Amino acid sequence: MEKEERKSDYPIHELFLNRWSPRAMSGEAISDKELFTLFEAARWAPSSSNLQPWRFIYAKKESEHWSKFFSLLGEFNQIWCKNASVLVCLIAKKTDNEGKPNRNALSDSGAAWENLALQGTISKLVVHGMAGFDVEKTRKELQITDDYEIVHMFAIGKHGDLSTIPERMQKSEHPNSRNPVSSFVFEGKFKTN
């Protein structure tokens, strides 16, 4: 399948256009150095009051934890994640150091996720986020306490051939476009479409 070229309406760094979420992965292991380079990028995300509320819980494919993480995924995601090298759950601490609500926990954790995803692009790795997993089972199986919000899961791996995923998934295995800036940026007050 031919790669669709993304174009921005305003000048931005090509890194933002090159980041996308493929599903085709090789199944090849990634090293701890490759993995922790991604986590290092997440470490430097913006953080309100420097609370750094993000936490990453992971399982490498060859580890004893893999089957537990894999069982958390929905059936659709299991089809292609079987070729991932690592599965990760991102959670966010909902309170600050004094136990008060941290209303920025999700946005800060999202910033950490984006740093990680962009570093994945730089490192020529697949980093694909997922909402299709059992949240309550995840909380129980990964022993996540109630003071943490489960944000999402994601898969990391090396790029693979399209033949590693079913034909129905192959059709969407290309970068997609985005809504124009004018559809989500408003001057002075919010406007509904």
Side-chain angles (χ1 to χ4, degrees):
M1 188 163 295
E2 191 174 316
K3 185 178 178 183
E4 178 183 319
E5 186 177 339
R6 290 174 157 184
K7 295 185 190 250
S8 63
D9 294 334
Y10 299 92
I12 61 172
H13 194 280
E14 65 183 22
L15 175 61
F16 299 102
L17 296 172
N18 291 335
R19 192 227 54 85
W20 68 289
S21 301
R23 289 188 177 92
M25 290 183 260
S26 69
E28 184 182 350
I30 64 172
S31 69
D32 282 345
K33 182 177 179 182
E34 290 171 301
L35 178 60
F36 279 84
T37 294
L38 302 181
F39 293 138
E40 181 69 20
R43 173 184 175 204
W44 295 101
S47 176
S48 176
S49 299
N50 201 27
L51 292 172
Q52 302 171 46
W54 51 83
R55 306 290 186 270
F56 297 94
I57 310 165
Y58 74 95
K60 292 178 112 179
K61 189 170 191 172
E62 66 275 7
S63 78
E64 64 185 276
H65 309 290
W66 175 263
S67 60
K68 175 172 54 178
F69 276 67
F70 191 78
S71 75
L72 303 173
L73 302 176
E75 186 177 319
F76 177 83
N77 287 327
Q78 286 182 344
I79 292 170
W80 59 272
C81 280
K82 68 180 185 239
N83 292 321
S85 302
V86 182
L87 293 175
V88 186
C89 180
L90 169 60
I91 62 175
K93 189 168 190 313
K94 297 188 280 189
T95 56
D96 66 15
N97 296 332
E98 297 173 1
K100 296 177 184 170
N102 177 6
R103 65 182 299 270
N104 296 302
L106 291 177
S107 62
D108 289 357
S109 297
W113 151 249
E114 180 67 5
N115 275 18
L116 187 150
L118 290 172
Q119 183 62 50
T121 297
I122 293 166
S123 300
K124 300 191 178 349
L125 294 171
V126 172
V127 179
H128 190 115
M130 299 174 279
F133 66 98
D134 187 323
V135 175
E136 289 314 309
K137 183 177 178 184
T138 299
R139 184 171 299 282
K140 180 181 176 198
E141 292 292 324
L142 303 186
Q143 300 177 7
I144 300 167
T145 56
D146 289 339
D147 53 335
Y148 287 86
E149 182 76 27
I150 298 172
V151 181
H152 70 193
M153 288 186 73
F154 57 96
I156 303 170
K158 294 193 176 181
H159 288 271
D161 189 85
L162 279 180
S163 65
T164 63
I165 57 175
E167 190 174 329
R168 64 187 168 105
M169 289 182 191
Q170 292 176 19
K171 293 176 180 159
S172 63
E173 190 73 357
H174 57 81
N176 50 26
S177 62
R178 292 292 189 263
N179 294 330
V181 171
S182 60
S183 70
F184 59 84
V185 175
F186 312 98
E187 185 176 4
K189 67 177 181 177
F190 176 65
K191 298 173 186 145
T192 59
N193 296 341

